[in-house]
Amino acid sequence: MKRYNKQQVMNDAHRLYKNEFQRRGRSWSECLKAAWRWEKDAVRVREEKAARLDAMIAASWAAHNARKNEKSNKKEFESLSSDAVSYAMGYGRGNGFY
């Protein structure tokens, strides 16, 4: 995989060299060095951002798997009788509620 975008480096260097306000008396080699510094910083930031995203996704999956493996067959109404559960759910009231 290509790590540095050389076309962007050259475009930045030319833009910096042509603009008198940004140039501030720098030579072409100094403008090119500045453009390379910008590109290296940009690559470093992109890699750090991707690493943070990967870590966040891995932590999210770990939490998801931990919750999934806790008790998937937990009975919510195990202490209640079936009549109490059906009454709580609205079944069997005799008033036409279903």
Side-chain angles (χ1 to χ4, degrees), residues 12-64:
D12 289 342
H14 279 284
R15 186 172 29 93
L16 182 62
Y17 188 72
K18 288 178 184 178
N19 189 340
E20 286 296 326
F21 179 73
Q22 290 179 343
R23 184 174 168 190
R24 297 184 187 132
R26 296 181 196 162
S27 66
W28 167 248
S29 66
E30 291 170 339
C31 292
L32 189 58
K33 287 177 187 177
W36 271 110
R37 249 189 325 262
W38 293 339
E39 182 65 21
K40 288 178 183 178
D41 287 342
V43 167
R44 183 182 48 79
V45 168
R46 280 194 301 261
E47 288 175 352
E48 288 174 358
K49 188 175 181 180
R52 279 195 311 268
L53 181 63
D54 289 343
M56 191 168 49
I57 290 171
S60 174
W61 274 110
H64 170 73

Side-chain angles (χ1 to χ4, degrees), residues 79-91:
S79 64
L80 300 174
S81 68
S82 61
D83 293 334
V85 171
S86 64
Y87 185 75
M89 296 290 208
Y91 301 116

